[in-house]
Amino acid sequence: NAGVTQTPKFRILKIGQSMTLQCAQDMNHNYMYWYRQDPGMGLKLIYYSVGAGITDKGEVPNGYNVSRSTTEDFPLRLELAAPSQTSVYFCASSYQTGGTYEQYFGPGTRLTVT
Amino acid sequence: GQQVMQIPQYQHVQEGEDFTTYCNSSTTLSNIQWYKQRPGGHPVFLIQLVKSGEVKKQKRLTFQFGEAKKNSSLHITATQTTDVGTYFCAAGGGADGLTFGKGTHLIIQP
């Protein structure tokens, strides 16, 4: 299994540009999440999904959109990029087993908006 | 939603010394998870605690969940250079995602 994969690894955007961060998992997990991590800080939840066709907002959803057309893929769309969106973006997936919700994280996408 | 505060933000130790990080919440938590993130890496799950007063050990790591389920701690005995990284506590999980503390950065001096 590849686990959770993310592309691209790095990206520089100009203010006002748009882009899609790709995330895929091959573990057949129902739950998927997008987090952002600012330098030296913890992770904040942007959006999450409990299954194909179902998405919901997390703590910091403004400026982002998601879709979940398949169990495997959970892309994150940035519209009209702003410097405040400079961050590292992590995608994660999980499933429940015996009451444990261990989350598996992808390697991250490092985004700079200038 | 649930919020968790984590202290200290940074901890410098000499190799071989012990290390402890603390996680606190103003509300009762259903569970607490701990993750480790190496510099430049992604968070990796260490453990989940669910029961009041629970204590779990993984080699040199000891995890505790408070009796009131409002606090937790991670203790590392005799730190090694491989322990370097940031340790996060996180509450929740499942359908709603996790709420992370800001993490404790462990810096080890040889």
Side-chain angles (χ1 to χ4, degrees):
Chain A
N1 284 354
V4 180
T5 57
Q6 291 183 239
T7 56
K9 285 187 170 55
F10 303 92
R11 183 72 185 268
I12 299 174
L13 280 183
K14 294 189 186 302
I15 294 171
Q17 288 185 321
S18 300
M19 75 166 294
T20 298
L21 282 66
Q22 301 293 342
C23 174
Q25 53 93 7
D26 62 358
M27 297 174 283
N28 202 32
H29 288 173
N30 282 340
Y31 303 141
M32 295 189 74
Y33 317 87
W34 276 104
Y35 296 90
R36 59 175 286 173
Q37 183 178 32
D38 297 331
M41 301 293 284
L43 286 77
K44 293 188 176 180
L45 184 65
I46 304 172
Y47 270 95
Y48 62 96
S49 169
V50 301
I54 306 169
T55 62
D56 210 341
K57 296 178 180 179
E59 182 184 356
V60 289
N62 291 346
Y64 307 94
N65 274 300
V66 294
S67 60
R68 183 107 182 261
S69 56
T70 66
T71 298
E72 294 77 21
D73 299 299
F74 191 38
L76 177 72
R77 178 83 178 159
L78 276 73
E79 304 282 1
L80 298 175
S84 61
Q85 293 178 304
T86 294
S87 191
V88 180
Y89 292 84
F90 289 102
C91 178
S93 71
S94 78
Y95 71 105
Q96 182 184 3
T97 174
T100 297
Y101 296 99
E102 173 181 353
Q103 292 199 5
Y104 295 78
F105 284 81
T109 294
R110 283 154 178 77
L111 176 67
T112 302
V113 182
T114 61
Chain B
Q2 300 174 109
Q3 292 198 351
V4 288
M5 305 296 293
Q6 201 172 344
I7 57 170
Q9 188 174 359
Y10 293 92
Q11 183 74 59
H12 291 79
V13 301
Q14 296 282 341
E15 187 176 6
E17 291 183 338
D18 293 356
F19 159 79
T20 305
T21 173
Y22 301 90
C23 187
N24 297 289
S25 171
S26 59
T27 60
T28 302
L29 302 172
S30 56
N31 68 75
I32 195 88
Q33 296 186 15
W34 285 93
Y35 288 79
K36 177 183 179 180
Q37 185 178 26
R38 294 183 184 274
H42 59 276
V44 175
F45 176 83
L46 293 175
I47 210 157
Q48 176 175 298
L49 304 173
V50 178
K51 299 177 183 176
S52 169
E54 190 169 14
V55 178
K56 287 188 177 180
K57 293 189 176 184
Q58 292 178 350
K59 297 183 180 178
R60 294 179 294 105
L61 278 62
T62 302
F63 304 85
Q64 294 190 349
F65 202 9
E67 293 290 340
K69 299 181 72 172
K70 290 185 176 182
N71 59 76
S72 182
S73 65
L74 158 60
H75 180 82
I76 301 178
T77 304
T79 54
Q80 300 174 359
T81 54
T82 53
D83 296 325
V84 164
T86 304
Y87 293 85
F88 293 98
C89 62
D96 296 336
L98 289 167
T99 299
F100 280 81
K102 291 185 177 180
T104 296
H105 303 264
L106 173 60
I107 298 124
I108 298 177
Q109 293 150 342

